[in-house]
Amino acid sequence: MTRIDAKFAELRAANKKAFVAYVMAGDPNYATSLEIVKGLPAAGVDIIELGLPFTDPMADGSTIQLAGQRALAAGMTLNQTLSIAAELRKTDDTTPIVLMGYYNPIYSRGVERFLVQAKDAGIDALIIVDLPPEEDDELCIPAQAAGLNFIRLATPTTDAKRLPKVLQNTSGFVYYVSVTGTTGAAAAQAVDVAPEVARIKASTDLPVIVGFGVRTPQTAQDIAGVADGTVVGSAIVEKIGAGEPVADILAFVKTLADGAHRA
């Protein structure tokens, strides 16, 4: 059982939905990013999505793109990203960490070497948005053999023919993208999301977590109410980008987590 499996079992036992927070590693710099990450569990975050900075983040809107640029400009690397996870693990051995990003930095490092390093750092799962199921042999299968979950995205355009392919080697949870387009796009609507979540859950026993377009405590509550939990990224990253104090950022995160947990 991975940390993600254990977390969902714990949430089900408590009749709670999951709140997942995304932050870009190294944004705006290593020290501040580490302070934010270390503060997320106490702010109510059940699962941390840690963005791996990359020069060409094609699935991300301007907010996340700018966060990646800030991190890279501050000298953030793959090693330092894994270091943030390792530092959290010194005081927290239960909160799952999902590394989210693109394949190029991993390919450049070498898959086998990367997986050893990621596992050693305490990473629990990967979301690699530019590796389709047809490329599962590249990373998905080796990652699962190494004990890491491999989480796949499903979208409003993932039709009945495509869905089984998306689900075939997915583990941990399914990330449903609530709106078409990039991160930070239009607001998610529970009435639109609910039938899509039901459709996915009819084909898998995995939890379905909904992200993209969730920016407020009320939306977090509404979306978590029709899924197994929700993800917020851009709304948090905007506050980091604005240079708000870490305490204020974490206080905002807590309002989102409280919203999701009320569902």
Side-chain angles (χ1 to χ4, degrees):
M1 179 180 281
T2 66
R3 287 188 185 93
I4 291 177
D5 299 330
K7 177 58 69 174
F8 279 110
E10 173 192 322
L11 289 166
R12 280 193 297 271
N15 197 29
K16 286 174 69 176
K17 300 300 180 72
F19 179 68
V20 184
Y22 170 97
V23 293
M24 178 67 72
D27 176 32
N29 54 62
Y30 180 91
T32 304
S33 181
L34 178 59
E35 185 181 356
I36 292 168
V37 168
K38 284 185 170 181
L40 292 176
V45 174
D46 298 301
I47 298 171
I48 297 169
E49 274 186 19
L50 190 62
L52 175 60
F54 182 53
T55 52
D56 189 24
M58 63 185 183
D60 294 306
S62 59
T63 298
I64 305 297
Q65 287 188 22
L66 288 169
Q69 289 173 15
R70 288 191 297 268
L72 290 169
M76 200 62 183
T77 63
L78 174 56
N79 284 346
Q80 288 179 306
T81 299
L82 295 178
S83 173
I84 287 179
E87 286 296 319
L88 178 66
R89 284 286 168 249
K90 291 179 180 179
T91 55
D92 183 329
D93 195 43
T94 58
T95 303
I97 305 172
V98 179
L99 188 67
M100 185 171 186
Y102 299 82
Y103 185 44
N104 186 275
I106 295 169
Y107 176 79
S108 297
R109 174 63 49 95
V111 167
E112 186 174 344
R113 182 180 173 206
F114 164 77
L115 290 174
V116 170
Q117 293 174 334
K119 187 74 174 172
D120 287 348
I123 298 294
D124 300 290
L126 304 175
I127 300 176
I128 307 301
V129 297
D130 56 345
L131 272 184
E134 287 75 14
E135 305 295 336
D136 274 357
D137 288 341
E138 286 283 328
L139 182 61
C140 174
I141 302 301
Q144 303 211 82
L148 297 173
N149 290 127
F150 200 89
I151 296 160
R152 193 82 68 188
L153 303 182
T155 74
T157 58
T158 305
D159 60 20
K161 181 179 179 181
R162 181 64 175 170
L163 185 60
K165 189 75 173 175
V166 168
L167 295 175
Q168 68 179 1
N169 289 315
T170 298
S171 63
F173 61 86
V174 178
Y175 188 137
Y176 178 68
V177 176
S178 63
V179 293
T180 54
T182 57
T183 56
Q189 301 292 332
V191 67
D192 298 325
V193 168
E196 292 298 298
V197 171
R199 180 170 70 92
I200 295 167
K201 291 180 76 68
S203 298
T204 181
D205 293 330
L206 292 171
V208 179
I209 304 298
V210 177
F212 286 49
V214 182
R215 306 182 60 84
T216 67
Q218 186 60 55
T219 307
Q221 180 177 346
D222 294 344
I223 295 298
V226 299
D228 295 298
T230 190
V231 186
V232 178
S234 292
I236 299 168
V237 171
E238 279 178 4
K239 292 185 175 292
I240 297 172
E244 294 193 15
V246 171
D248 291 353
I249 294 166
L250 294 174
F252 173 65
V253 171
K254 188 176 187 308
T255 67
L256 297 166
D258 289 347
H261 291 150
R262 282 195 298 270

